[in-house]
Each structure stands twice: as C-alpha cells, then as structure tokens.
Amino acid sequence: MADETIFSKIIRKEIPADIIYQDELVTAFNDINPQAPTHILIVPNILIPTVNDTNKEHEQALGRMITVAAKLAKQQDIAEDGYRLIINCNKHGGQEVYHIHMHLLGGKPLGPMLTR
Ligand code: AMP
C-alpha cells in the first residue's frame, strides 16, 4: 500500500483546502500555488500514486476526472476560450505529489505546451 499524501487529508477534510467539488469518486480543489487564473486539481478519492499504477478498476474514477474537469471549466467560464489538462508522472514528468491528479489550467492564453 502506497503512502498517503497531503491530498488524502484534503479529501477527508482533515486539513483546510479550497474544495470546489466533491462526489463519491473525485475531489477538486484550487491549487495552492496557481500557475494560471484558474488552476484546479482534480483527484480520485482513492489513492493511486501515479499513472503507472492505474488499472481497469480505476477507469470510472479516471473518467470522472475528465467529466468533472469539463463541468468546472464551464462553471469557471473558461470552456469556450479553452484550457489545458495535465497529469504529470514521476520524475521526468515533474510529479511532486504521489496521489494522481489532473491540473485544470486556464483563464489566459497558456502558450506552447513545453518550453523549448
Ligand atoms: P505535480 O507537480 O503535478 O505533482 O503537482 C502538485 C501540485 O500540488 C502543485 O501544483 C502544488 O502547488 C499543489 N499542491 C501541493 N500541496 C497543495 C495543497 N496543500 N493544496 C493545494 N495544492 C497543493
């Protein structure tokens, strides 16, 4: 069993966070260090450390992460202009928190996907 991260405590509301959505499968909250006007993290309620650890049983929660991203983008009024969804994996991907999460970024032109 992988070690819990701070995200499990946020999901269980044991520590404060700006939670903007929660259901039986996923939780979404504002990133503490926003990189864009909208920067929301969408996480499964169960601990899956990285994309490498996903399996068929996780498909419902992983799919919900996308549909919740679309719902929140509409709520934040960034759907039409567009936005970016990012999931970092491990060291080369720049993953810092080992509880899989999707970044929803938008509210301004985000530029090229990778700095060159
Ligand atoms: P990643 O590099 O993909 O693992 O992203 C981790 C993200 O989690 C970063 O954007 C952090 O700013 C964010 N983060 C870390 N701790 C917290 C926290 N307590 N509440 C909200 N966001 C956090």
Side-chain angles (χ1 to χ4, degrees):
M1 180 83 174
D3 289 338
E4 280 193 355
T5 74
I6 196 160
F7 288 179
S8 290
K9 292 189 170 64
I10 290 174
I11 291 160
R12 293 195 299 261
K13 302 189 174 147
E14 291 169 4
I15 61 164
D18 205 359
I19 294 181
I20 48 186
Y21 178 88
Q22 188 165 51
D23 64 23
E24 78 285 10
L25 290 174
V26 304
T27 299
F29 49 93
N30 282 320
D31 196 291
I32 205 167
N33 183 21
Q35 305 297 311
T38 294
H39 188 171
I40 295 169
L41 301 177
I42 304 164
V43 310
N45 294 339
I46 57 160
L47 171 55
I48 306 167
T50 79
V51 172
N52 291 336
D53 302 301
T54 58
N55 63 48
K56 221 168 163 32
E57 286 171 19
H58 301 138
E59 284 174 359
Q60 208 188 354
L62 296 170
R64 183 70 61 83
M65 287 164 70
I66 302 248
T67 54
V68 166
K71 186 201 297 265
L72 295 179
K74 275 201 199 91
Q75 264 174 26
Q76 304 270 322
D77 205 23
I78 60 170
E80 200 161 317
D81 282 340
Y83 51 90
R84 187 169 290 158
L85 301 176
I86 297 175
I87 301 177
N88 295 320
C89 181
N90 276 346
K91 200 167 55 168
H92 282 193
Q95 184 172 4
E96 288 171 1
V97 178
Y98 282 78
H99 183 135
I100 202 172
H101 50 281
M102 178 181 284
H103 297 254
L104 164 59
L105 293 148
K108 67 172 188 184
L110 295 170
M113 191 169 67
L114 298 172
T115 45
R116 290 166 216 281

